[in-house]
Amino acid sequence: AQTVTQSQPEMSVQEAETVTLSCTYDTSENNYYLFWYKQPPSRQMILVIRQEAYKQQNATENRFSVNFQKAAKSFSLKISDSQLGDTAMYFCAFMGTGTASKLTFGTGTRLQVTL
Amino acid sequence: DVKVTQSSRYLVKRTGEKVFLECVQDMDHENMFWYRQDPGLGLRLIYFSYDVKMKEKGDIPEGYSVSREKKERFSLILESASTNQTSMYLCASKGISSYNEQFFGPGTRLTVL
């Protein structure tokens, strides 16, 4: 079974600074997908960024980028130029390529962006 | 604009009651999921469905059942609610491709007294 570990329960960053959220996972599969989801306070969970394991290039979406290290089974999220609206719970998630492609989530990192 | 809706944002029930949580998606997605979210535990999969009338147990199915009579609707049922089922419940749906993201509903915060 796959497991996803987020070792930072809470983090804080000042506005305009850069922050990196850590995620490691364990799997015996060779092909899979990794995701970062964001859950703002009292709002719906939304996808931030995804990475396909067979792609070596790290995914980027505007101020969000990942550092995907397949051999180390590491998938960190970097947020550049942090904004107050980035305050949220961030969940790292793993998806295999089997039936229904279930997501396995980490326990989350609560990020607070301060002035 | 894609949409997953859940019947209630907040729900308070008593121990032993039968509870229905409803989820509807308008994206014609094949796959639908029910998770519960607890502090420090992240999201845990209760049940999922990959087609109408099909269901599969997730990681924590005990005390729950589901129903999917129509493609757009996926119901979570607590046959006899207990206090340890007090939690946030999230529904999600996904298209058939593995690449597709899961789209989440707003969640139902259930309190069992």
Side-chain angles (χ1 to χ4, degrees):
Chain A
Q2 291 82 13
T3 58
V4 177
T5 302
Q6 294 179 249
S7 58
Q8 305 151 315
E10 294 185 355
M11 294 190 72
S12 180
V13 63
Q14 286 193 320
E15 202 177 19
E17 297 294 306
T18 295
V19 64
T20 299
L21 280 56
S22 301
C23 174
T24 58
Y25 58 94
D26 189 24
T27 183
S28 58
E29 296 186 42
N30 189 51
N31 197 19
Y32 48 85
Y33 301 88
L34 295 163
F35 302 82
W36 278 98
Y37 277 87
K38 170 185 177 181
Q39 187 180 41
S42 301
R43 292 178 61 188
Q44 267 165 270
M45 186 98 71
I46 56 172
L47 178 68
V48 175
I49 198 165
R50 77 181 125 209
Q51 175 80 41
E52 297 145 65
Y54 62 86
K55 287 188 177 179
Q56 291 189 340
Q57 186 173 5
N58 289 326
T60 62
E61 288 286 344
N62 301 313
R63 297 182 295 107
F64 299 88
S65 62
V66 298
N67 182 6
F68 172 50
Q69 302 289 330
K70 190 173 184 180
K73 296 181 181 174
S74 171
F75 182 61
S76 61
L77 174 70
K78 186 171 83 170
I79 306 174
S80 305
D81 186 27
S82 297
Q83 301 175 359
L84 295 178
D86 296 332
T87 292
M89 279 290 289
Y90 287 83
F91 292 97
C92 178
F94 172 100
M95 179 190 290
T97 54
T99 303
S101 302
K102 299 179 292 180
L103 279 173
T104 300
F105 285 87
T107 53
T109 296
R110 185 176 301 280
L111 177 67
Q112 180 72 46
V113 181
T114 60
L115 291 170
Chain B
D1 198 16
V2 298
K3 212 163 193 178
V4 179
T5 57
Q6 295 183 228
S7 50
S8 306
R9 288 301 302 271
Y10 300 94
L11 208 53
V12 180
K13 295 293 181 180
R14 295 209 174 273
T15 301
E17 279 192 81
K18 190 168 186 176
V19 182
F20 293 85
L21 303 182
E22 305 285 338
C23 175
V24 177
Q25 51 98 2
D26 66 357
M27 295 166 281
D28 201 36
H29 282 167
E30 290 77 13
N31 301 315
M32 295 188 75
F33 307 83
W34 275 107
Y35 298 90
R36 65 176 281 175
Q37 181 180 1
D38 300 288
L41 297 177
L43 278 73
R44 294 178 292 167
L45 182 64
I46 304 171
Y47 266 97
F48 66 99
S49 168
Y50 52 89
D51 202 351
V52 175
K53 297 192 185 294
M54 306 301 287
K55 60 185 179 184
E56 293 279 346
K57 292 180 180 179
D59 300 317
I60 52 164
E62 296 79 18
Y64 304 94
S65 62
V66 290
S67 171
R68 193 164 180 204
E69 296 297 318
K70 293 185 178 181
K71 191 176 185 180
E72 68 271 19
R73 188 179 297 269
F74 191 35
S75 303
L76 180 69
I77 303 155
L78 287 66
E79 294 289 343
S80 178
S82 64
T83 55
N84 63 13
Q85 292 178 309
T86 291
S87 186
M88 171 71 86
Y89 290 87
L90 296 176
C91 174
S93 74
K94 188 180 88 65
I96 200 165
S97 167
S98 290
Y99 188 79
N100 291 352
E101 68 184 269
Q102 287 191 17
F103 291 88
F104 285 83
T108 295
R109 186 167 295 281
L110 173 67
T111 302
V112 183
L113 301 175

